[in-house]
Structures are given as C-alpha cells and as structure tokens.
Amino acid sequence: MTFIMSAPFEHGLYIVATPIGNLGDLSRRGEEILAAADLILVEDSRVTGKLLNHIDKKKKMMVYNDHKGEQARQEILAAARCKIVALVSDAGTPLISDPGYKLVRDARTAGIYVTTVPGPSAVIAALTLSGLPSDRFLFEGFLPSKSKARGAALAELKPIKATLIFYENGSRLGAMLADAHDNLGDREGAVIREITKKFEETVTGKLSDLAARYASEKPKGEIVVVIGPPGEDAPASSEDIEAALRLALERLPAAKAAGEVARAFGADRKALYDLANRWKAEREK
C-alpha cells in the first residue's frame, strides 16, 4: 500500500483514533501518522500489530496503560520532545474509557506538542444507531459488576435528563438491564454490539423487554447499551404508591419492598417502611 504524505509532522504526541471493527475506517491522516511514528504507544501490541499489517508497516511499539508510573511517562515525554509518538487504543478513540489522560496532561505541562487525529468512537457510533435523543447524552463507561453497587450508581443517574450510554459485556448484560429497569423505570433502550463488524446488531425496545431477552442470552462481542432520558410522567398518586408497596410486600420483606418502591416512585423510603410495618401490625391484631 502506498500513499503520499501530506506534509512532514512535528515532533510530539499524537492521539490517533483507530477502527472499532472495520479496518477500512482508519482515516487517511491516521494512517500517515502511524507510518511516520517513531514510537506507537499501545494497549496490546498484537491488536495494533494487525492494524499495522493492514497498512503494511512495522513500527516500534510500547505497551502503555495507567499502571505505568512516573518514570515510564517521563521516558515517553523525552521521546516526544524529539520524535513522533502516537498513542492508540485497541479500538476507537484513545482516552475514552481507556488510559492516557495522565500522559496528555504531563505532555502539555512540559510544553510538548499534542494533537489528535479524530475518528471512530463506539460511544458516538452507538448513539447514532440507537434512534434515541442525541442532543444531550452522558457516557458512564462500565457500571460496577456487583448488583448493589450497580443499582446505587444507576439511582444517581435517574434524575439526569439525558440519554445514558454504557459499555457492558455479554455475561453481565441481562443483570445490568434488569437493574437499569428497576432503578430508572421502563425507558426506551438499545443494545448495540459488534459495531462495523460482520455481525453488527442493534436491538431496541423497552428496558423490561430487553432485560427479558437477555436474561438467559449472553451475546458475544463488544456491547454498548444506550438508554433514553426520563419522560415527563405525571407524579404518582398516593394510591398508586400504596398499591405498588402492597405488591412488593408479597415477595419482599418490608425494608426491601420500601426501598424498591421508593426508588421507582421517588417516594420517602422511611415513610413507606413505617407504613408497611403499620399494615403488618394491623394484620397481627
């Protein structure tokens, strides 16, 4: 593969977006930077090696992650002062849920030239595929793996009037969607996987339907979950809240039932817990 470089590049640090699936998505400028680079900082040399093979180049690579200490960063900065150093991720735009911000910060502090070669991002690609509002969105990365911590994180996100975007893996997808339904309500959502690859798939629907679909199905590949913003629902009546509490008490102890209904309706948990105990005392008279 041959091409004509547009112009010589300055010494410095180049943040280069790489394809998230289809190698044809590497930009012309990204290809030029990788071809000119004296050193490429990578997550996994095997993954980046495949990309370099695609453009018929062999380059010096160095694994870089946030576990690398100050000494490693100083060595990289020393190289960037007199050479072309490219920072890539395994897939997509570096620093988006990937290591790198400390290096960029230190490079700027040191007065080193820093620029970006924009390109693919699974976050933006999934948002455009979801069919959900895109005027305001929040990328949350991976939620905690444990259900309790995941529920707490989702509860914090509930009042945010924006489309929410998450990364997830197939083994946890069903549990994550169930927790999202319990904590956010039955919003519109989309599960998007293997973007730009042969088996790209977008599944949309209510969170309840998505949670049911993936309760036992564990899809493979890179997965992005997109959840629509909260609707402008009318406040629930006290009768609705009490009815929900009675139903919850049929399967849960008072404390857990009160917590579930409080999260679902934005009601006072202690008041619901006291009400549940009062009902219990009345039944036992």
Side-chain angles (χ1 to χ4, degrees):
M1 181 180 296
T2 60
F3 54 86
I4 300 173
M5 292 183 60
S6 56
F9 296 107
E10 293 185 48
H11 296 151
L13 178 64
Y14 291 77
I15 305 163
V16 182
T18 59
I20 57 179
N22 191 317
L23 295 179
D25 291 337
L26 179 65
S27 72
R28 172 70 176 270
R29 183 161 165 258
E31 184 176 344
E32 291 179 350
I33 290 291
L34 293 181
D38 300 293
L39 174 64
I40 302 177
L41 307 177
V42 305
E43 288 185 82
D44 188 325
S45 59
R46 295 166 298 181
V47 174
T48 303
K50 292 178 182 178
L51 180 62
L52 293 175
N53 286 337
H54 176 70
I55 62 173
D56 197 24
K57 297 295 177 182
K58 290 184 178 181
K59 289 290 174 176
K60 181 180 179 181
M61 291 183 278
M62 172 182 172
V63 174
Y64 180 78
N65 54 51
D66 278 341
H67 298 298
K68 295 289 186 180
E70 179 67 20
Q71 181 178 347
R73 283 200 296 279
Q74 289 306 317
E75 291 173 358
I76 293 168
L77 296 179
R81 287 187 176 94
C82 58
K83 297 180 179 179
I84 296 171
V85 178
L87 172 66
V88 302
S89 67
D90 282 351
T93 300
L95 282 74
I96 306 301
S97 200
D98 283 322
Y101 84 89
K102 294 177 183 178
L103 180 62
V104 171
R105 177 194 59 197
D106 289 356
R108 290 202 174 281
T109 300
I112 294 170
Y113 176 71
V114 180
T115 191
T116 186
V117 183
S121 169
V123 177
I124 302 303
L127 180 64
T128 63
L129 288 169
S130 70
L132 293 168
S134 57
D135 54 330
R136 188 182 186 200
F137 61 92
L138 172 67
F139 173 57
E140 188 67 12
F142 284 94
L143 287 166
S145 58
K146 300 295 185 182
S147 183
K148 183 177 180 180
R150 186 165 56 227
L154 286 162
E156 289 182 3
L157 298 172
K158 183 175 182 178
I160 297 176
K161 295 184 180 299
T163 293
L164 306 175
I165 306 174
F166 306 91
Y167 287 160
E168 194 49 271
N169 63 50
S171 64
R172 292 201 307 253
L173 180 59
M176 179 267 186
L177 290 167
D179 285 342
H181 173 260
D182 290 344
N183 288 276
L184 301 177
D186 205 11
R187 301 188 189 182
E188 294 289 336
V191 174
I192 304 162
R193 68 181 189 91
E194 296 292 84
I195 299 172
T196 76
K197 299 179 184 177
K198 180 178 180 180
F199 297 105
E200 178 182 306
E201 178 183 57
T202 299
V203 179
T204 62
K206 292 285 190 179
L207 285 178
S208 56
D209 296 328
L210 294 173
R213 171 173 178 153
Y214 293 106
S216 57
E217 182 181 341
K218 300 187 186 303
K220 296 180 180 180
E222 302 293 328
I223 298 170
V224 185
V225 177
V226 186
I227 299 175
E232 299 296 333
D233 297 330
S237 66
S238 58
E239 290 81 5
D240 290 336
I241 295 174
E242 289 184 12
L245 180 60
R246 290 185 187 278
L247 287 173
L249 286 169
E250 292 178 3
R251 55 187 174 81
L252 295 171
K256 290 187 176 181
E260 179 181 284
V261 175
R263 288 192 299 271
F265 291 91
D268 186 296
R269 181 187 177 282
K270 186 178 183 303
L272 291 172
Y273 179 65
D274 291 342
L275 178 59
N277 284 329
R278 188 162 70 246
W279 286 345
K280 180 180 179 181
E282 289 173 356
R283 289 196 303 271
E284 293 174 349
K285 284 182 179 179

